[in-house]
Amino acid sequence: MKKLTKKAATLALQEKIKTLILEKNLKPGDLMPTENELIELLGVSRSSLREAVKSLEALHILDIHHGIGTFVGESSLVPMIRGLAFHAQLHVHNNVKCLLDILDVREILQYGFAPIALAKISDQQVEQLQQLVALIESNARAATFSDDEERQVHLLVYRAVENHLLSQYLDAFWQIYQLLEHELPANTATPTAIAMQYREWADAIEARDLERMQHAILLYFQRIRQRLTLKDTPV
């Protein structure tokens, strides 16, 4: 029988630990068996176990609290964000195809979930949305713009869907673009033009007008796509 490489053995041990979590029906935040118990249950050495546990911590599957114990981690897309951001950074100097691919996925999610978001968003959330847009407009009159308010608008609208995975994905995509902001062409849209787009979006949501809302979403992504393609335009 062919002996596993060290990397393959570590990956196999990680899978055994994940299987153990499922078999024991452990939930995020639950305490894992002790190190000695895991060594006995899995039949592995202490050093191999520690290496596998450390790798699973990096993936947010496990959460190590030194002096207390190891717990099942909360679900998180942080590892995915880091991987996508690094992949984009590798290629962004040559072309922005990787960023456009990410943008396409984000656009499909926001456009596709718009009917659910519109049906479930509360009057209180609409009021919060209008307050955010009013702040964007106030900043625009001072010729300033904040990415944070823009990000909050997107997260607020889709929080109404009550889909934790969707919220994480949208926030992940937002963080990736922020990480790469300094690599992209300057934003040619004025703060006033951006504020007008968000005003239209907020008013469409308040009017519960799905067609108008989805049209505003398409215009938003068109603006970003135009900015990204400037990078590949010959001077």
Side-chain angles (χ1 to χ4, degrees):
M1 186 174 177
K2 187 176 179 180
K3 186 176 179 180
L4 292 175
T5 64
K6 183 179 179 181
K7 181 178 179 180
T10 299
L11 290 173
L13 182 51
Q14 289 176 30
E15 291 303 314
K16 287 182 180 180
I17 294 171
K18 288 190 283 186
T19 299
L20 180 68
I21 292 171
L22 295 175
E23 288 176 347
K24 289 184 171 292
N25 197 29
L26 298 177
K27 301 293 187 293
D30 285 350
L31 183 65
M32 289 285 291
T34 66
E35 186 174 78
N36 287 336
E37 288 171 338
L38 287 173
I39 289 171
E40 185 175 346
L41 283 168
L42 301 172
V44 295
S45 68
R46 192 174 303 275
S47 60
S48 296
L49 177 66
R50 288 182 175 176
E51 186 174 349
V53 167
K54 199 70 179 175
S55 297
L56 290 174
E57 183 188 31
L59 295 172
H60 290 213
I61 292 172
L62 294 178
D63 189 9
I64 301 172
H65 291 260
H66 295 288
I68 301 176
T70 299
F71 298 80
V72 179
E74 298 288 339
S75 60
S76 170
L77 293 181
V78 170
M80 184 203 77
I81 296 170
R82 291 172 179 164
L84 279 176
F86 180 69
H87 177 74
Q89 286 173 310
L90 281 177
H91 298 283
V92 74
H93 294 293
N94 299 320
N95 63 72
V96 293
K97 178 63 167 62
C98 52
L99 280 178
L100 289 171
D101 289 345
I102 294 171
L103 187 70
D104 287 343
V105 174
R106 183 180 158 202
E107 181 177 7
I108 290 169
L109 286 174
Q110 294 197 219
Y111 188 90
F113 273 97
I116 302 174
L118 193 62
K120 298 184 73 171
I121 194 167
S122 68
D123 291 342
Q124 182 181 8
Q125 287 172 318
V126 171
E127 177 60 29
Q128 292 174 344
L129 175 62
Q130 289 287 10
Q131 290 173 3
L132 276 171
V133 172
L135 180 57
I136 291 173
E137 289 175 322
S138 176
N139 290 337
R141 287 191 290 271
T144 61
F145 182 75
S146 170
D147 288 336
D148 186 58
E149 278 84 25
E150 188 176 8
R151 172 176 169 270
Q152 290 302 322
V153 166
H154 290 262
L155 296 183
L156 174 61
V157 171
Y158 290 93
R159 193 176 299 135
V161 176
E162 298 178 333
N163 184 315
H164 182 59
L165 186 59
L166 172 65
S167 295
Q168 284 197 76
Y169 268 116
L170 294 183
D171 199 30
F173 296 148
W174 196 268
Q175 290 182 52
I176 289 168
Y177 278 98
Q178 286 186 320
L179 286 171
L180 297 173
E181 177 71 24
H182 65 287
E183 302 280 358
L184 304 178
N187 192 350
T188 57
T190 65
T192 299
I194 295 172
M196 288 176 64
Q197 279 195 328
Y198 281 109
R199 167 52 57 207
E200 171 60 16
W201 197 5
D203 288 349
I205 291 171
E206 186 171 32
R208 309 288 174 171
D209 187 331
L210 177 60
E211 183 177 354
R212 188 177 165 192
M213 176 187 177
Q214 288 184 317
H215 180 66
I217 291 170
L218 293 177
L219 288 178
Y220 167 81
F221 283 99
Q222 182 183 65
R223 170 171 62 85
I224 298 178
R225 195 168 279 105
Q226 286 173 343
R227 178 187 177 188
L228 291 179
T229 52
L230 284 175
K231 190 175 181 65
D232 289 336
T233 303
V235 178

